[in-house]
Amino acid sequence: VGTLAKPPVKFRDCLFKVMPMFRYAAQKQFVEALRHDAQTFPDQLVIERLRYAVELEKQQNEAEMTDSLGEQVLYGSVVQLLHMKSNKFLTVNKKMPASMEKKAMRVQLDQWGNEGSWFYVQPYYKLRSPGDSVVVNDVISLMSVNAGQPLSVSKHTLSDHTNCQEVNAN
């Protein structure tokens, strides 16, 4: 646990990598087909085609990531945040309430990412406009594309970590 003045001992635990917006349409179709076909006999040809589409989508996402390396982050752009230590995406789950604030949506780390992992980069103050570059010391707001709510920090402390607050979408 730390503050801006005194960062945590394991600062690496707090690092996120800014990633481009990945596509998840094929992954979503594949999961839905497996879920639907679990009740009936799955059509193996359809499942194999969807599995191929998922692999193709992953390759496209990797190519997009490589192409975007070194580009400036702009206000109004959509990004994803990859937690460096866990290699998971910060994701808003709009179907689950937050642990501390039940009216807020849960924010969690997700292994694969999904549409809940997309965030608009917005200026916290109205000094910047869409299309402007994000620069050092800018205060930003991350707005969930899927849920339409910004990330926020709860005023309530966590029961298992008394010096920490919950991050949620509210």
Side-chain angles (χ1 to χ4, degrees):
V1 180
T3 65
L4 288 176
K6 185 181 175 195
V9 176
K10 294 184 179 179
F11 188 68
R12 185 169 170 12
D13 294 353
C14 305
L15 296 178
F16 285 86
K17 183 177 182 179
V18 178
M19 306 286 281
M21 180 177 79
F22 287 175
R23 295 174 186 87
Y24 294 104
Q27 175 184 307
K28 188 175 182 179
Q29 284 181 331
F30 180 68
V31 170
E32 287 175 5
L34 288 177
R35 191 176 304 139
H36 175 73
D37 289 341
Q39 300 165 353
T40 62
F41 185 74
D43 183 350
Q44 291 302 320
L45 182 61
V46 171
I47 297 297
E48 286 305 312
R49 285 183 179 168
L50 286 172
R51 184 174 285 130
Y52 175 75
V54 168
E55 289 304 315
L56 197 62
E57 189 174 68
K58 284 181 183 178
Q59 291 173 6
Q60 290 171 337
N61 287 339
E62 288 174 12
E64 175 72 24
M65 183 180 63
T66 302
D67 292 346
S68 69
L69 286 175
E71 286 187 15
Q72 291 185 342
V73 177
L74 305 177
Y75 285 107
S77 62
V78 178
V79 298
Q80 293 185 214
L81 298 176
L82 182 69
H83 186 242
M84 296 301 292
K85 183 176 182 183
S86 66
N87 205 35
K88 295 180 180 181
F89 290 98
L90 190 71
T91 304
V92 174
N93 185 340
K94 65 181 185 179
K95 294 181 181 177
M96 291 189 70
S99 300
M100 301 303 295
E101 292 186 34
K102 298 302 180 189
K103 292 183 180 179
M105 290 170 264
R106 182 167 295 183
V107 174
Q108 58 196 29
L109 294 173
D110 184 86
Q111 182 175 2
W112 307 111
N114 57 50
E115 287 92 348
S117 306
W118 297 339
F119 296 95
Y120 289 115
V121 178
Q122 298 180 327
Y124 187 77
Y125 303 108
K126 302 300 177 195
L127 302 173
R128 307 268 188 226
S129 301
D132 289 351
S133 295
V134 177
V135 296
V136 175
N137 293 328
D138 273 1
V139 180
I140 66 168
S141 174
L142 295 171
M143 176 73 71
S144 172
V145 172
N146 197 25
Q149 296 291 325
L151 292 182
S152 60
V153 178
S154 172
K155 294 178 182 170
H156 306 287
T157 58
L158 297 174
S159 57
D160 55 344
H161 291 42
T162 55
N163 293 336
C164 298
Q165 283 82 25
E166 172 185 68
V167 174
N168 57 44
N170 185 10

